[in-house]
Amino acid sequence: MLSELAKPVMYLSGVGPKKSELYEKLGVKTVYDLLYHFPRYYIDLNEPQAVRDAPLNEQVVLKGRVVRKLPEGNIRRGLTVYKAIVTDDTADITIVIYNAGFMFKALEVGHEYYLVGKLTGNMLRREINSPQIYPVAGTDPVQPVYRLTEGLTQKQLRQNVHTALGALDGSIYEPLPNDVVREQGLCSLSYALQNVHYPTDMHTLELAKSRLVFDELLTLALGMLMMKNRSRDNTGCQMNDESVDEYFSALPFELTAGQKSAINDCIEDMRKPFPMNRLIQGDVGSGKTAVAAGAAYFAYKNGCQTALMAPTEILAGQHYDTLKAFLEPLGVKVVLLTGSLTPKKKEKIKAEIAAGEYNVIVGTHALVQASTEFKRLGLVITDEQHRFGVEQRAMLAGKGDHPHKLVMSATPIPRTLALMIYGDLDISVLKELPKGRQPVETYAVTGKLRERAFGYVKQYLEEGRQAYIVCPMIEESDSDLRDVKSYAKEISEGAFSGYRVGLLHGRLSAESKEKVMKKFKAHELDILVSTTVVEVGVDVPNAAVMVIENSDRFGLSQLHQLRGRVGRGEHKSVCILITDNPTEEVVQRLKILSSCHDGFEISQQDLKLRGPGDFFGSRQHGLPKMKIADMSQDMDVLVRAQETAKQILCKDTHLDKGENRGLRELVERLFEQETAND
Ligand code: ADP
Ligand code: MG
């Protein structure tokens, strides 16, 4: 990198120690960081609206001439109002400024200004309160708006960026190999940086942005692929060609085509000399466990142990039951190892595992962390791994004698996004649900119909079914949300008095959670009031109804995951989405769930409606944070970036070559930043 750019921002003329502290708060340490502190958005002054046509109560851009300045008025002590009349010859408008006398004084009669703000009043008497005012002469037509911190103004930041751009001036600083720039039709980096901060019009801005977005996604793709390559050391458990036909024929059902091909993908992977790194992605109920069992059976046939890890004891127990049912008839020994066993029992089981008496070991994640010794661990399967970050995956990859790894996830992410998030994994997708599965009937209703909805639930309870009622939060502070505790109390004394109501939320200890869940599973409870902790793959086939309160608070994908908790048995199932916020938009959104039962399609809709926040907001995937790329919008760039990354790494695995040095720096910067922030 240019040495000028690596300098602390403090040494930039016009910054100094005090301001550099403010910059630090924005995450800006060096001149480079400042150049990459991109505007949050832009105000385009190029096309002001005619005052006559400008809508009320919306942010508008106007351009007009000051006709008259009115005498200042004092509303009360300490509050002075300044007014001026402006016209653009289509209509007049009154500028209202509070207290900021200097702004008012700067206005000159007869001069033209851009005004940015909200219009109020009516069509006859329009006002604009505390607008941003720019003199037409000497103002750049596209104004960037930056994220600020107290003590720093837009103007100062803009000026400092200007100085920083000077450090680039005339240089040929270019981290991308020349042929990539050419093939992708990108502008130069210095042009991009110049124009992302100082665009002359929206077109140059687009050019600049597309360059920077490409850089960012290419860097991310390179990092993910390099991570994948890193875990490609030889495995200690390369497996031979052994058929798993017995497994297929012993199952009580016919596997779906997706399940079969996913199992075949696994088998093919495990025959290779380096470890498998595969993600099985399938909607709720698509039968991922049967795939996992198939892979485990293959490992067994090759004399290897399999460890299956689940995030909770309940899930571990569930997987244990399933695997046992599928595999024990075939002679496979399955064991459950969880924290709730007595120490003595645990020791015994551990000794037996080490002696190789078990082939498949099911347990919670603590299982691997604990010093469990295996006989010949060939396959590690993790469920719901999407809650873990990229780094944890990399860490796991470094453990043991490079066992094969299989990850199961129900997060229905569109394939392109999955490719990025799980860039270090190969993916098998289970597209269809097993035959005969009835979709969960879904209704969206307003709070007014709550009583009726409850009546409906009661019918199910009378027939011996069970129900979930999901409420988003436990916090009492958020007054418009129902707090689950008081909610549970309310309904158990009111609408559902006489029924057995249990409560499950995130603040309970793991032990208490397990207890409640076990009781629900054993049908010692009729209704389970819960926060979203119930989201993870719990299987209670007798639960056939779900009510979701405040459903507008959830993304569609999450709602879909939630309703996947019902409809797992032979009973007809229903999900009732209640909202007390029945705006047109909310209702439209919730209705999608009534007609659509495909998790992938729903997640696409979610992306369209809500943006990528659900996937990337909480950093639940552990991906580095993007500064300018928006992975839902820039999908095609994502694909191009990935292709390019593959081509580059194909010729230069570690980015050692001279022309790739700049790229390596970018990758290191992106991923290093991530670790520093955590
Ligand atoms: P998920 O993908 O949500 O983890 P599971 O593996 O828990 O789904 O499977 C859900 C249910 O469907 C289980 O009871 C399982 O036995 C059953 N199942 C799996 N595959 C099939 C199939 N091909 N045909 C019928 N039932 C199946
Ligand atoms: Mg599951």
Side-chain angles (χ1 to χ4, degrees), residues 606-623:
D606 233 2
L607 261 182
K608 257 195 253 156
L609 292 168
R610 292 174 39 122
D614 270 12
F615 301 123
F616 302 104
S618 58
R619 288 224 255 154
Q620 60 171 329
H621 301 294
L623 279 186

Side-chain angles (χ1 to χ4, degrees), residues 283-433:
D283 210 347
V284 276
S286 58
K288 294 182 287 292
T289 320
V291 175
Y297 183 67
F298 183 70
Y300 158 78
K301 294 270 299 220
N302 284 278
C304 290
Q305 283 181 327
T306 295
L308 189 152
M309 298 182 294
T312 66
E313 293 221 347
I314 301 178
L315 282 178
Q318 217 167 267
H319 282 312
Y320 169 70
D321 291 341
T322 313
L323 290 191
K324 206 166 123 151
F326 289 168
L327 296 177
E328 274 202 349
L330 297 166
V332 182
K333 295 259 172 50
V334 187
V335 69
L336 178 66
L337 183 63
T338 60
S340 57
L341 293 171
T342 63
K344 221 168 136 193
K345 194 98 191 271
K346 224 184 286 177
E347 281 318 305
K348 182 168 175 276
I349 293 181
K350 279 189 177 182
E352 287 166 346
I353 294 171
E357 285 177 37
Y358 292 106
N359 312 109
V360 176
I361 299 94
V362 182
T364 49
H365 289 286
L367 168 89
V368 221
Q369 272 122 38
S371 56
T372 310
E373 270 182 55
F374 295 91
K375 180 72 183 287
R376 200 174 161 235
L377 183 63
L379 174 62
V380 177
I381 305 174
T382 37
D383 190 14
E384 308 290 347
Q385 175 99 8
H386 63 282
R387 278 151 212 283
F388 292 80
V390 171
E391 272 164 61
Q392 278 103 323
R393 290 210 296 272
M395 227 168 63
L396 259 178
K399 275 198 174 173
D401 192 8
H402 307 290
H404 299 284
K405 282 174 298 297
L406 186 62
V407 177
M408 298 187 271
S409 168
T411 313
I413 303 166
R415 188 166 175 82
T416 18
L417 291 181
L419 276 176
M420 193 48 100
I421 293 169
Y422 299 112
D424 56 335
L425 302 175
D426 299 307
I427 305 180
S428 303
V429 180
L430 303 184
K431 281 209 187 71
E432 74 267 63
L433 293 183

